[in-house]
Amino acid sequence: MFKNKTVTVGISGGIAAYKSAEIVSWLKKNNAEVRVIMTEGACRFITPLTMKTLSGQPVAVDLMSMDPAYNVPHIDLAACDLFLLLPATANILAKAAMGLADDLLSASLLATKAQVIAAPAMHCDMYDNPATQGNLQILAGRGWTLIETEEGVLACGAIGKGRLAGIPKIMQVIEATLNPDKPLAGRRVLITAGPTWEAMDPVRYLGNRSSGKTGYCLAGAARDLGAVVDLVSGPVALDPPPGVNLHRVESALEMARVVTVLYPACNIVIAAAAVADYRPRQAAKEKIKKSSASLNLYLEPNPDILAGLGQNKGERILIGFAAETENLLEEARKKLREKNLDYIVANDVSQPGAGFAGDTNIATIISAQGEEKQFPLMSKKALAMEIWQYVIHNSQFTIHN
Ligand code: PMT
């Protein structure tokens, strides 16, 4: 994932220093060339031997080092694709904000032209101090990416803001920075696609005209943008895009079960499936015999899968589709609200070239903030990329503070 990328990891002296080991190991496993700088304080929390073993490179501590691995240590170490400061103590942030260069880490930070990502970690009172907040503002103004601290129990037992951000979040920010053409890198996307079939008997079902093309195009586009993709698909005659995790289902109840299992791990959901709203109350065990009498079929409602997800949304982004034949935008806005969505893609399936089965669509995306963008007639593949670009742009994935 990070082939040919050089990352300098600066570790400053705080208890969260031990957490940098996991990130260094992960960077290395993903083929980055990792060079570690430790402050004297950091060396008291975690040993240079640990970091040398994980990074596979000598660890630099001394500004005046005569280590033959470096010509001029702080200049050599400043030259990288990404400079990661993890953890960033109040002290190193203050030095960087002031432009001090009295040790190897601060001198390298002053010399670097690379993007700096800093993950602050400190006691809540130090974090809240206007001096620290002012320094963070200065550094953000210089283009540093600051990964906001988390609130919780700190090492000393105090409760407040100042804990190092979660490791998965730090990984996401690194991935997005090193692979800017992959804005969904580090994200897990769950997509539903196709129709559901609701069994009447062993050979018949109630279904709809969805081909799955829309959901499959969205899955392929999400993969191209760097996401890990779970595609939960009703019965369709399509090959899944290579590299996505395909979960085949038949009925709405099966789709609901699989989606419920996958939901906790995902960051974004797009529900493009045309889920049957009703199912036969009971599927006959044997094939229903033909007769001249009319046949009554008792239907009961299926669960609304997307509405269920909306009730437990957390930090996730939820995107629904609305297939309508009248009052397109009003109906779509109603569904956006009722299902607690962030976006809804409205398609008027009565228009030629739009909706079910064909290779093209005409759609309007509506955000929870009430913004709308129309997409004229285009291929479902092009529409999928347009939808992702809109969502990525409006959701500001790479802003973390
Ligand atoms: O597959 P294609 O042939 O390419 O066609 C694409 C499409 C027309 C099916 C697609 O673009 C689309 O509009 N899908 C949603 C169709 C639909 O069922 O809309 P709805 O208005 O009934 O549902 C609204 C939203 O709730 C949808 O995101 C749907 O997936 C979800 N839903 C609906 C019912 C239900 N029981 N559970 C759900 O999750």
Side-chain angles (χ1 to χ4, degrees), residues 277-352:
D277 289 321
Y278 297 92
R279 64 177 183 275
R281 185 181 294 167
Q282 198 146 33
K285 287 217 165 43
E286 307 300 337
K287 183 180 170 192
I288 300 168
K289 296 278 182 284
K290 179 178 154 191
S291 86
S292 54
S294 53
L295 176 70
N296 285 325
L297 203 56
Y298 290 96
L299 302 179
E300 60 184 16
N302 272 323
D304 191 314
I305 303 170
L306 187 56
L309 304 183
Q311 285 172 11
N312 177 25
K313 187 155 83 156
E315 298 286 299
R316 295 177 193 83
I317 294 173
L318 296 192
I319 304 153
F321 268 76
E324 307 293 341
T325 53
E326 55 184 348
N327 302 329
L328 176 67
L329 297 183
E330 292 95 286
E331 293 298 327
R333 286 189 204 106
K334 193 160 162 255
K335 287 177 184 168
L336 174 88
R337 257 192 330 275
E338 288 176 354
K339 300 188 192 213
N340 193 23
L341 307 179
D342 298 282
Y343 303 94
I344 194 155
V345 182
N347 39 189
D348 180 346
V349 293
S350 65
Q351 280 193 60

Side-chain angles (χ1 to χ4, degrees), residues 192-196 208-218 236 238 252 255 270-278 301-309 319-324 331-332 335 339 341 344-349 354-361 363 380 383:
T192 67
T196 62
N208 61 64
R209 298 177 194 280
S210 170
S211 64
K213 286 177 186 168
T214 299
Y216 278 54
C217 289
L218 285 161
V236 297
L238 298 174
M255 185 173 276
I270 301 195
V275 183
D277 289 321
Y278 297 92
N302 272 323
D304 191 314
I305 303 170
L306 187 56
L309 304 183
I319 304 153
F321 268 76
E324 307 293 341
E331 293 298 327
K335 287 177 184 168
K339 300 188 192 213
L341 307 179
I344 194 155
V345 182
N347 39 189
D348 180 346
V349 293
F356 293 92
D359 289 323
T360 59
N361 205 351
K380 286 182 175 171
L383 178 64

Side-chain angles (χ1 to χ4, degrees), residues 196-267:
T196 62
W197 286 358
E198 310 299 326
M200 287 171 57
D201 69 15
V203 298
R204 303 184 182 92
Y205 60 85
L206 297 179
N208 61 64
R209 298 177 194 280
S210 170
S211 64
K213 286 177 186 168
T214 299
Y216 278 54
C217 289
L218 285 161
R223 175 213 51 201
D224 291 346
L225 292 165
V228 173
V229 183
D230 287 303
L231 175 60
V232 182
S233 172
V236 297
L238 298 174
D239 290 329
V244 311
N245 307 319
L246 179 68
H247 308 266
R248 288 183 206 276
V249 297
E250 192 170 291
S251 66
L253 287 181
E254 277 178 45
M255 185 173 276
R257 261 194 299 277
V258 174
V259 165
T260 306
V261 171
L262 297 171
Y263 189 54
C266 81
N267 308 109

